[in-house]
Amino acid sequence: MAHALVSPNAAAYTSGRDISQTLESARGQVEERFLEGGTVLLSVMDVLNRLLNSLESVTTTLDNKDASDTSADLRATVESLTALPVTEENRQQALVSLAHTGRELRKHVSDMQETMRYLRTFAVTVKITGAGLAEFAGFAQEILERIYSGTDEVNRFATHLDSLDKEVKLATSFGASVSKGYADTVPAVAGALRDDAAKIAQHRKDLGVIAREVGAIARAVQGKVASTLSALQIGDITRQRIEHVQATFSLLEDFFAGEDGARLDAGARQRLQNVIHHLTAAQMSDMCANFQRDSENVVKTIASFDHDMREILMLRDQMSGQSGEAGGNFMRALESSVSAAHEIVKQVDTASRQADQVSQSTIGTAAKLSEAIGNIRAVKTDIHYMALNTNLRCSRLGEEGKSINVVTAELRIFAGKLDDSADAIVNGLPALEAAAGRVAPATHAGAGSLGESLTSAVGNIRSAANVMENELKVLAENGREVATKISLLIGKLDFQHDLGEVLAGCADLLEGVAGTEVADISDLTETIAPLDRKIFKHYTMVQERNIHRRIIPASEDSTPAPAETAKAENDEDLFADALF
């Protein structure tokens, strides 16, 4: 009889141990799969953070105030370029005015040259007429030398004006060519630069829109990953509940091996074992239902990542495409336009240098003319006084000096005409200097600064484009890594495959062992109360306690169950209750 009682019990223990081993295998798989899934999720979160950091860098680059200032500088340069035809036209008018002023002065110089020729004639006449008078021989030669000196001054004066006239003509000729070139090229080049600047600004704006779209999707995926990480608690909950079922079998074996269990006969043992099997089967069945529901939600969330990543990759490719071929075309077009603009700027520099040379030469000529006028006036004064002295001497000589007196009187009259021409020239010199100032306006330095502005603007735009290209490369790499991680994640977190089947198999095994009918153990309530309390104490979730009490009602000396919380309305409430 004793042997008969032992054999079924031993078989029951063996069944319990076998079930525990199966459960241990399932528990290990749950732990491994969810740990692996959590690791992958955390790596996805990390690369998503890097992706968002890349996007932030791209956005910062796009919003860079220096880039906006560069575009503004380029537009300002274009405006300066557009103003070149008007500037050159004003310079041409100033050169025309300078040439006119020079011609007016040349008329007065011609009058002075004519006067000097007359003076030379009269001086020679004085020399011839006074040849018989010893006291006039040296005097006539001295007057003639002074007239030659004055003639040289007037001729040098004329040479300065002739040189100035040649420079003005050269500058006018070159300026006319430049002016025509401006009319033909400046509007087109300025328009091309303006269009290029607008295209670059629009390109950056488009990139900004795409970057914000990528950021929105990436942050949405980041939120999904965070919620998935939270939902992975189902793995920990499942593992705990498997451990609780294992503990229940272990406690049952300990109970049977103890004093209380020894007092039970074989029938009581079988009834208690049946109830425990029903209890563990109910716990496993509820656990499988929860696992099925929550892991399915996780898989659905993970599956939605695929669409999100395709969107991110598509937008990433769109950004890379815009920054690659299109962006390169923008830069090539801009550099081509700037190259054409630089050619114009070179012409500006040449024209400005010529105008500056003419202006400086004119100002120098004016100074030399002023000095020459002083010398000519001194010659005129000397001739005047010499002629006057001659008149006085001729008066003392009587008839002998009468003929000389007539000639020297003419000398004085024509010497006086030098003053009239000199006055006209002196009055014309301020006009000459003013015209020279208009030829080389204050914007002369603007030609060089215009070229520097173009070079600087393009350099800044190219630098910004390079920074943007590097940032987009990093973004593309992070986008690829995110896509790879997501693809891996989808395979790792498909808990329904294999794992769900293992857990369902354990539940089916327990239900098969338990059978269809729950044994009546109401007569064993006091005896199994210690076992009941120990099993109940292991539970950490309200659901487990509720299931337990449905199978094994509480005895009077059992530990009262905590007040049941309000029925959870959604999965998050269930997780909150599960964590107690």
Side-chain angles (χ1 to χ4, degrees):
M1 181 69 178
H3 177 73
L5 289 174
V6 171
S7 295
N9 291 339
Y13 298 155
T14 301
S15 174
R17 282 194 293 272
D18 289 343
I19 293 172
S20 290
Q21 288 175 1
T22 303
L23 289 172
E24 178 61 22
S25 175
R27 187 197 68 77
Q29 290 185 56
V30 168
E31 188 170 25
E32 180 182 357
R33 291 286 297 280
F34 275 86
L35 181 61
E36 188 178 23
T39 302
V40 175
L41 273 174
L42 288 174
S43 68
V44 169
M45 182 68 82
D46 178 62
V47 76
L48 275 172
N49 287 335
R50 292 205 301 274
L51 178 65
L52 287 170
N53 288 337
S54 297
L55 282 168
E56 185 176 350
S57 297
V58 169
T59 304
T60 300
T61 302
L62 289 170
D63 294 339
N64 192 342
K65 184 178 182 295
D66 292 340
S68 299
D69 290 345
T70 297
S71 296
D73 290 343
L74 185 57
R75 286 193 295 272
T77 303
V78 170
E79 294 305 319
S80 298
L81 199 61
T82 305
L84 287 178
V86 175
T87 302
E88 187 57 33
E89 179 62 27
N90 291 337
R91 181 152 45 211
Q92 286 298 300
Q93 292 178 2
L95 284 169
V96 170
S97 175
L98 180 59
H100 175 73
T101 304
R103 285 193 297 273
E104 291 298 316
L105 288 178
R106 191 68 178 79
K107 292 178 182 178
H108 298 300
V109 172
S110 296
D111 290 343
M112 292 177 72
Q113 288 176 319
E114 184 68 20
T115 300
M116 295 307 293
R117 280 195 295 273
Y118 278 114
L119 288 174
R120 282 199 304 276
T121 300
F122 288 127
V124 171
T125 302
V126 169
K127 189 173 183 179
I128 293 171
T129 305
L133 301 174
E135 62 180 297
F136 284 112
F139 178 68
Q141 183 61 34
E142 185 178 354
I143 290 178
L144 191 58
E145 289 176 358
R146 292 299 292 158
I147 290 173
Y148 282 140
S149 173
T151 300
D152 289 341
E153 288 289 346
V154 172
N155 288 339
R156 277 195 295 273
F157 199 114
T159 300
H160 290 318
L161 282 181
D162 289 343
S163 177
L164 176 63
D165 186 58
K166 289 178 182 178
E167 289 181 2
V168 171
K169 285 180 179 179
L170 180 62
T172 302
S173 175
F174 179 79
S177 175
V178 169
S179 183
K180 184 179 184 303
Y182 286 169
D184 294 339
T185 60
V186 167
V189 170
L193 282 172
R194 195 179 293 109
D195 290 344
D196 293 338
K199 287 177 182 177
I200 289 172
Q202 185 60 44
H203 172 62
R204 295 174 66 84
K205 184 178 178 181
D206 292 341
L207 284 179
V209 171
I210 298 173
R212 285 190 288 274
E213 290 179 8
V214 174
I217 297 174
R219 277 186 284 273
V221 174
Q222 194 178 42
K224 288 180 181 180
V225 171
S227 70
T228 303
L229 276 169
S230 177
L232 287 187
Q233 291 179 76
I234 185 60
D236 190 50
I237 292 170
T238 301
R239 176 190 58 76
Q240 286 185 46
R241 294 189 70 172
I242 291 175
E243 290 174 351
H244 296 165
V245 171
Q246 289 176 301
T248 298
F249 281 118
S250 179
L251 290 171
L252 177 62
E253 288 189 6
D254 292 343
F255 178 77
F256 281 150
E259 293 181 3
D260 291 334
R263 291 198 294 269
L264 298 178
D265 58 24
R269 286 171 179 267
Q270 287 181 350
R271 283 186 291 134
L272 177 57
Q273 185 179 351
N274 174 266
V275 170
I276 293 299
H277 284 162
H278 276 282
L279 173 62
T280 54
Q283 294 287 12
M284 281 297 296
S285 178
D286 182 73
M287 180 200 69
C288 282
N290 289 344
F291 180 83
Q292 177 77 17
R293 180 195 65 225
D294 294 331
S295 63
E296 185 177 347
N297 290 337
V298 169
V299 171
K300 285 181 179 178
T301 303
I302 296 300
S304 71
F305 289 176
D306 187 51
H307 172 74
D308 294 330
M309 288 319 303
R310 280 200 302 271
E311 288 289 318
I312 287 179
L313 290 178
M314 182 186 71
L315 291 171
R316 180 209 67 182
D317 292 342
Q318 192 174 343
M319 291 183 78
S320 298
Q322 284 205 4
S323 119
E325 182 181 352
N329 286 338
F330 288 149
M331 286 307 301
R332 283 194 293 273
L334 176 65
E335 289 175 352
S336 175
S337 300
V338 169
S339 177
H342 271 302
E343 288 301 316
I344 294 174
V345 170
K346 288 179 184 177
Q347 295 176 358
V348 173
D349 284 333
T350 303
S352 295
R353 282 195 297 271
Q354 283 198 337
D356 184 63
Q357 181 179 346
V358 169
S359 177
Q360 295 300 321
S361 178
T362 301
I363 292 171
T365 297
K368 292 175 182 177
L369 294 179
S370 295
E371 181 182 354
I373 287 296
N375 293 335
I376 291 170
R377 286 186 189 276
V379 169
K380 168 260 176 186
T381 301
D382 289 347
I383 293 172
H384 176 78
Y385 283 114
M386 285 180 182
L388 181 61
N389 288 335
T390 301
N391 287 147
L392 293 174
R393 289 183 183 183
C394 288
S395 296
R396 289 197 296 269
L397 291 174
E399 286 299 323
E400 282 186 320
K402 190 172 182 180
S403 59
I404 296 175
N405 198 22
V406 172
V407 176
T408 53
E410 290 294 328
L411 265 177
R412 289 171 58 196
I413 293 171
F414 275 93
K417 289 183 177 181
L418 286 175
D419 261 342
D420 297 335
S421 297
D423 289 341
I425 290 173
V426 168
N427 292 334
L429 287 180
L432 190 74
E433 291 175 334
R438 290 193 297 274
V439 167
T443 55
H444 163 60
S449 64
L450 185 59
E452 292 172 5
S453 297
L454 279 168
T455 303
S456 175
V458 174
N460 290 337
I461 289 173
R462 185 185 294 108
S463 175
N466 290 338
V467 171
M468 176 59 64
E469 184 177 352
N470 292 335
E471 294 294 350
L472 287 173
K473 283 181 181 177
V474 174
L475 177 63
E477 291 169 3
N478 288 332
R480 271 194 305 271
E481 189 174 356
V482 168
T484 303
K485 295 284 188 183
I486 291 293
S487 297
L488 177 63
L489 182 66
I490 292 173
K492 296 291 185 184
L493 297 188
D494 186 7
F495 302 120
Q496 298 298 318
H497 182 65
D498 293 337
L499 191 54
E501 297 171 2
V502 169
L503 295 175
C506 289
D508 291 342
L509 175 63
L510 286 172
E511 288 178 358
V513 171
T516 57
E517 298 294 331
V518 180
D520 181 9
I521 58 170
S522 57
D523 58 320
L524 304 177
T525 301
E526 293 183 5
T527 304
I528 68 169
L531 174 63
D532 177 53
R533 286 195 294 273
K534 288 180 180 179
I535 293 174
F536 197 84
K537 188 176 180 181
H538 273 84
Y539 299 139
T540 55
M541 283 154 268
V542 174
Q543 288 170 277
E544 293 177 299
R545 297 190 188 101
N546 293 338
I547 292 170
H548 184 97
R549 286 301 171 224
R550 284 202 303 270
I551 306 298
I552 304 176
S555 61
E556 292 182 0
D557 58 346
S558 295
T559 303
E564 188 170 338
T565 58
K567 182 174 177 59
E569 295 182 359
N570 53 43
D571 292 345
E572 291 183 1
D573 293 334
L574 285 175
F575 280 128
D577 289 340
L579 292 176
F580 159 29

